Amino acid sequence: MYSRIAGTGSFLPPNRVSNQELASRLAEQGVETSDEWIVSRTGIQSRYFADPDVTSSQLGAQAAEAAMHAAGVTAQEIDLIICATSTPDMVFPSTACLIQQRIGAKGCPAFDVQAVCSGFVYAMTVADAMIRSGAARHALVIGAEVFSRLLDFNDRTTCVLFGDGAGAVVLQASSAPGIVATRLHADGHQSGILCAPGAVSGGQVIGDPVLKMDGPAVFKAAVTVLEQVANEVLHAAGRDASCLDWLIPHQANLRIMQSMGRKLHLPDDKIIVTVHEHGNTSAASVPLALDVAVRDGRIQRGDTVLLEGVGGGFTWGAVLVDY
Ligand code: UT7
């Protein structure tokens, strides 16, 4: 038994904010940045911000509906829901349970996975294992974030990088792959390089739960581990990089993505890039990019796609898919 991607979906909140607009807003509060800096260092040109009353479960449910529609599967047929998010609607219940309620699915297990920007590849790996074990036949795997809620708009080194959105896939049990191989890793010793170090205690916020990132340290770690895990997952599948039709790395920085392409000997036009439009949407970035490339016809049935995540934890992982 294997799992295969039966359908993809995504959803972005309507409020698109260009670098120029963000730079002028930040200038009003004395924070200096520019379109030129953001584009040249990251490739980002715009991002989407959800309105204050919009939650991850709302974005996630919209993406899930689109994925179910594409897969031709109803909410009643869904027997597993996993949502990757670091910006849940509330402490509990999980965002996955709230999505279950919103889409009208009933009775199936639903839970969140918290692996920050690696969340979607973690969630895909868990869903794949559950389908292969026979525990589920139609899994909804969602990455949904309102990452703007974690940003400190006085910190120009981070607030220009992130955005909100959601992406989803329906994974279906299948006699042929599908998902060919998966690999996950974490190094908690590097938890401090990317974190939102706060919590709730006795009804009070304790610590400082806004995003903090040592950008250069994360950059360096990302290029190293993304290459390692790409080779591991290809090795596990008994293949090499020449099998790849498409690379979908976590959408954080165009320079990291292009460096991955060079290491895998893939030309730039084989890398699916949405970071210029969406910014870094954390766990939503990979399924958003996947859905864009499926819907615009670049990714076709039979193509081999490498999905890669990397982020806070420190976490990283890869999923190799015959789409
Ligand atoms: O989602 C998880 C994965 N995340 C990532 O993969 C992010 C990885 N890191 C990065 O993408 C890059 O490190 C950044 C884009 C975050 C930063 O780029 P960098 O080339 O590493 O810049 P830097 O942090 O070394 O900063 C260079 C300069 C500094 O000025 P000085 O000290 O050289 O005078 C910063 O203060 O750029 C300055 N700077 C800015 N200037 C204008 C930092 N942010 C800004 C800004 N606008 N927004």
Side-chain angles (χ1 to χ4, degrees), residues 26 31-38 40-44 116-118 147 155-162 194 211 213-223 226 250-256 280-283 285 309-312 314-315:
L26 293 174
V31 175
E32 197 188 315
T33 187
S34 65
D35 176 51
E36 195 280 327
W37 190 94
I38 302 169
S40 64
R41 299 293 177 123
T42 71
I44 296 167
V116 201
C117 302
S118 309
F147 232 67
D155 176 7
R156 68 176 182 172
T157 68
T158 54
C159 73
V160 301
L161 305 175
F162 295 88
L194 177 49
L211 185 139
M213 178 166 73
D214 177 345
V218 172
F219 191 107
K220 209 169 137 206
V223 289
L226 287 175
H250 171 49
Q251 309 280 317
N253 187 316
L254 188 59
R255 290 185 290 143
I256 297 177
N280 180 347
T281 57
S282 191
S285 93
V310 60
F314 202 66
T315 55

Side-chain angles (χ1 to χ4, degrees), residues 37-104:
W37 190 94
I38 302 169
V39 171
S40 64
R41 299 293 177 123
T42 71
I44 296 167
Q45 296 167 18
S46 64
R47 76 286 295 138
Y48 291 78
F49 286 149
D51 288 344
D53 58 341
V54 172
T55 64
S56 287
S57 76
Q58 282 172 276
L59 302 179
Q62 299 263 12
E65 300 270 13
M68 287 189 298
H69 186 259
V73 167
T74 65
Q76 284 64 45
E77 291 171 275
I78 297 296
D79 51 14
L80 171 66
I81 302 174
I82 307 179
C83 180
T85 187
S86 299
T87 47
D89 294 21
M90 49 183 86
V91 176
F92 65 80
S94 70
T95 306
C97 286
L98 300 174
I99 291 173
Q100 181 188 43
Q101 179 193 36
R102 286 183 186 281
I103 65 174

Side-chain angles (χ1 to χ4, degrees), residues 253-266:
N253 187 316
L254 188 59
R255 290 185 290 143
I256 297 177
M257 298 163 72
Q258 288 173 338
S259 122
M260 268 311 296
R262 283 192 296 277
K263 287 175 175 173
L264 295 171
H265 307 291
L266 279 177

Side-chain angles (χ1 to χ4, degrees), residues 182-242:
T182 62
R183 281 293 178 274
L184 300 178
H185 291 285
D187 178 6
H189 299 280
Q190 296 194 76
S191 57
I193 63 175
L194 177 49
C195 53
V200 175
S201 177
Q204 306 290 316
V205 171
I206 54 165
D208 189 13
V210 291
L211 185 139
K212 322 237 179 268
M213 178 166 73
D214 177 345
V218 172
F219 191 107
K220 209 169 137 206
V223 289
T224 307
V225 298
L226 287 175
E227 181 183 15
Q228 282 169 1
V229 79
N231 289 327
E232 273 178 51
V233 82
L234 286 164
H235 182 74
R239 300 185 186 180
D240 63 35
S242 65

